[in-house]
């Protein structure tokens, strides 16, 4: 496969990342003074270097079975190298497991073996898929996408999965279905949350789209990354990937996809509506209330958590494919 360089670019020497301290009280969150870990960009990230993740332990979390896949060359990123897997797999947001970037170890508690994904709501053919169904029913392809977090960092990641429109075709939504809602796994015992709140966060994590957005060719369900099954910290066994939107739209570890008539409640929008919109398209000209979105810290192929500053592009560089949805 042409994509798999020799050696694969993600097999660079290990790196590790010093945890960002993100202790915030719920009161502060609710006052919107700092926000949640989403606000960690205002902490002095620059200079944060490789720190303590033991390579063998980290590698175990992503040395998973390879997936049968077809590289889809129509989706690539010409101007940036792939982010190394050692960095991508230990610099994550998954608030169910904690409020800092270093949740990769805690996320291993996610129970994925008996997974079922329910596709329901205003559809003519509701379905429930188990993991095997998901991997076998939909031909898996690999796409390299830019990934832009609202916190102004970015990566380039090789996702494995299938376009969301295949789910639309499978369940046949009714005309009344105008939106879709994704619900992530949640179990108070297993996913304790960030620990800096006193309750009241709007769990489970939920996200949503307009049906037209879901039907766009770019909208993708990932079941793998770097040629293999999705590690738990990335949202195993299935998560949403929407490369023209900020990363928080990409719900992880989805258990339910529901077609609905009204715009659904979503996690960050419910929590801090003036900072995290429902649409959340990447837009360098629209600053976050607390920081600029004009540039991003691109986390690349290196072994340590260094980054290069890059200009942020409208729709994260995917305007040609999606701008018409917002005209
Ligand atoms: N999904 C769930 N269930 N919980 C989360 O905390 N964080 C979001 C998104 N999906 C999140 C989530 C945010 S803010 C980002 S930037 C991406 O996941 C991070 O994905 P990654 O860790 O695979 O890079």
């Amino acid at each position: 496969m042409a994509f798999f360089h020799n050696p694969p670019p993600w097999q660079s020497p290990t790196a590790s990342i010093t945890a960002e301290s993100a202790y915030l009280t719920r009161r502060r969150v609710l006052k919107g003074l700092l926000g949640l870990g989403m606000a960690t960009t205002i902490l002095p990230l620059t200079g944060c270097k490789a720190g303590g993740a033991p390579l063998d332990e980290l590698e175990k979390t992503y040395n998973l079975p390879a997936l049968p896949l077809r590289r889809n060359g129509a989706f690539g990123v010409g101007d940036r190298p792939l982010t190394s897997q050692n960095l991508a797999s230990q610099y994550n947001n998954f608030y169910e497991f904690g409020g800092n970037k270093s949740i990769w170890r805690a996320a291993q508690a996610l129970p994925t073996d008996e997974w079922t994904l329910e596709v329901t709501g205003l559809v003519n053919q509701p379905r429930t898929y188990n993991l095997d169904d998901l991997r076998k029913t939909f031909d898996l392809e690999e796409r390299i996408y830019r990934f832009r977090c609202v916190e102004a960092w970015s990566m380039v990641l090789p996702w494995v999965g299938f376009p969301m429109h295949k789910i639309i075709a499978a369940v046949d939504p009714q005309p009344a279905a105008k939106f879709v809602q994704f619900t992530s796994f949640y179990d108070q015992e297993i996913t304790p949350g960030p620990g800096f709140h006193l309750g009241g966060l709007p769990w489970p994590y939920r996200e949503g789209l307009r049906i037209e957005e879901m039907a766009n060719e770019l909208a993708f369900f990932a079941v793998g990354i770097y040629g293999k099954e999705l590690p738990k910290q990335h949202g195993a066994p299935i998560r949403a990937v929407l490369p023209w939107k900020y990363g928080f739209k990409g719900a992880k570890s989805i258990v339910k996809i529901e077609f609905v008539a009204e715009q659904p409640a979503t996690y960050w929008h419910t929590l801090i509506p003036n900072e995290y919109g429902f649409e959340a398209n990447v837009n360098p000209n629209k600053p976050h209330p607390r920081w600029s979105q004009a540039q991003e810290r691109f986390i690349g192929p290196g072994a340590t958590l260094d980054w290069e500053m890059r200009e942020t592009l409208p729709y994260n560089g995917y305007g040609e494919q999606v701008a018409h949805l917002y005209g």
Side-chain angles (χ1 to χ4, degrees), residues 38 88 91-96 147 149-151 153 155 157 159 184 203 205 233-235 239 247-253 268:
M38 299 284 273
Y91 191 79
N92 304 96
N93 279 340
F94 204 163
Y95 284 89
E96 289 88 331
F147 184 88
C149 180
V150 73
E151 300 163 346
W153 53 267
M155 298 186 180
L157 298 170
W159 300 104
S184 296
W203 302 118
Y205 195 98
Q233 58 267 44
H234 278 301
R239 59 94 51 88
F248 71 87
K249 294 296 291 181
K252 293 180 165 184
S253 304
W268 289 107

Side-chain angles (χ1 to χ4, degrees), residues 39 77 81 92 100 118 184 194 226 243 254 284 302:
V77 177
N92 304 96
N100 59 60
E118 194 191 352
S184 296
Y226 296 94
I254 298 173

